[in-house]
Amino acid sequence: MIAWLDNADTPFPPPEQALVQPDGLLAAGGGLSPQRLLSAYRQGIFPWYNPGEPVLWWSPNPRCTIRPSDLHISRRLRKQILNEDYTVTFDRAFIDVIKACAAPRPQQSGTWISTEIMAAYTQLHHRGIAHSVEVWRDSRLIGGLYGLGIGSLFFGESMFSRADNASKIAFSYLCVQLQQWQFQLIDCQVYNSHLESLGAGLMPRNEFLGLLARHLDDPEPETWQFSVDARQVAGKTV
């Protein structure tokens, strides 16, 4: 059985109480207020559910993560980065990015990013907590990602591409910029081969929670702007 969160004030159970199958399912209900979401992320918990369902909260074990310095850039991706036929920005089009992430994808009938999710994370963006990375070509948005920055940790939520490797370019720029800012970790939540190709791996939940406890209150960047260039990203030199 999982815990039911009656209202916004009901606390989460400890992440260690999450189910083994399905991996990490911890609780349901409670809504998506900014306070609820921040409480969740600070405890290593995130929402993931289908539209029309109660909010479901997860803390899987192991956790998919990447340290910014562990970014892997393939030869092909490095060539695309150095080509510089694009521009990368922070927070220029958050709403457009989350809408693009919510759009149906090939071989998928729907999306878990509902209007409720979009509204909740947009509130966090207006508070300076949720951030987007945009990749532009000829003033057209071709890729990007969004997530939360808390302390020296980044909690990735979703990414999209409308051009070859555009989401990987966004992720690569993010990793190298976060490394420059001395961020400790990017939480990728759940494993997939796309993230693995960029250097992500699995971390035991107790190790992940220990990193959160040590780094959630680290100083944060004053402004989210890129200061790294294509050569730094391609060479991962900061």
Side-chain angles (χ1 to χ4, degrees):
M1 295 292 291
I2 62 171
W4 178 262
L5 310 178
D6 293 320
N7 54 55
D9 297 322
T10 307
F12 287 106
E16 294 81 3
Q17 292 183 14
L19 299 182
V20 175
Q21 287 295 332
D23 180 23
L25 182 57
L26 178 67
L32 290 174
S33 69
Q35 294 77 12
R36 170 65 76 186
L37 284 169
L38 285 175
S39 174
Y41 282 95
R42 292 184 70 90
Q43 296 176 68
I45 301 164
F46 60 87
W48 187 25
Y49 64 102
N50 292 318
E53 293 179 347
V55 180
L56 300 179
W57 300 94
W58 303 77
S59 184
N61 184 34
R63 189 88 164 212
C64 186
T65 65
I66 181 173
R67 294 183 184 274
S69 59
D70 289 341
L71 171 68
H72 171 73
I73 297 178
S74 68
R75 187 171 299 174
R76 181 184 179 195
L77 179 58
R78 179 173 285 108
K79 183 177 179 180
Q80 287 180 292
I81 290 171
L82 290 172
N83 191 37
E84 292 190 84
D85 63 339
Y86 59 86
T87 302
V88 183
T89 58
F90 266 127
D91 293 338
R92 184 181 294 179
F94 182 89
I95 294 174
D96 291 334
V97 167
I98 197 169
K99 285 181 177 179
C101 289
R105 305 186 186 196
Q107 300 179 339
Q108 291 183 359
S109 59
T111 176
W112 64 274
I113 303 176
S114 63
T115 55
E116 183 182 30
I117 287 278
M118 287 191 277
Y121 285 84
T122 300
Q123 286 187 64
L124 291 177
H125 174 63
H126 291 323
R127 292 186 177 203
I129 299 165
H131 301 279
S132 58
V133 177
E134 302 90 16
V135 183
W136 308 87
R137 180 177 290 146
D138 299 327
S139 301
R140 185 172 69 91
L141 185 63
I142 61 169
L145 60 85
Y146 76 97
L148 278 63
I150 306 175
S152 61
L153 303 160
F154 189 86
F155 300 85
E157 278 298 314
S158 187
M159 58 177 65
F160 78 98
S161 279
R162 292 173 177 161
D164 187 32
N165 278 343
S167 65
K168 289 187 176 183
I169 291 173
F171 190 82
S172 298
Y173 267 78
L174 175 68
C175 279
V176 176
Q177 184 63 65
L178 294 184
Q179 185 182 356
Q180 186 178 83
W181 287 337
Q182 300 183 349
F183 270 55
Q184 300 299 310
L185 197 72
I186 298 175
D187 173 28
C188 303
Q189 299 180 349
V190 179
Y191 166 88
N192 64 53
S193 58
H194 183 78
L195 293 167
E196 182 185 41
S197 72
L198 290 162
L202 296 175
M203 176 181 289
R205 182 169 55 211
N206 61 347
E207 183 179 344
F208 175 74
L209 295 176
L211 274 167
L212 261 62
R214 294 193 296 275
H215 297 292
L216 281 167
D217 297 315
D218 287 349
E220 300 181 17
E222 291 185 7
T223 58
W224 285 69
Q225 294 181 352
F226 281 106
S227 59
V228 297
D229 59 28
R231 292 187 178 278
Q232 289 175 298
V233 174
K236 298 190 297 182
T237 302
V238 297

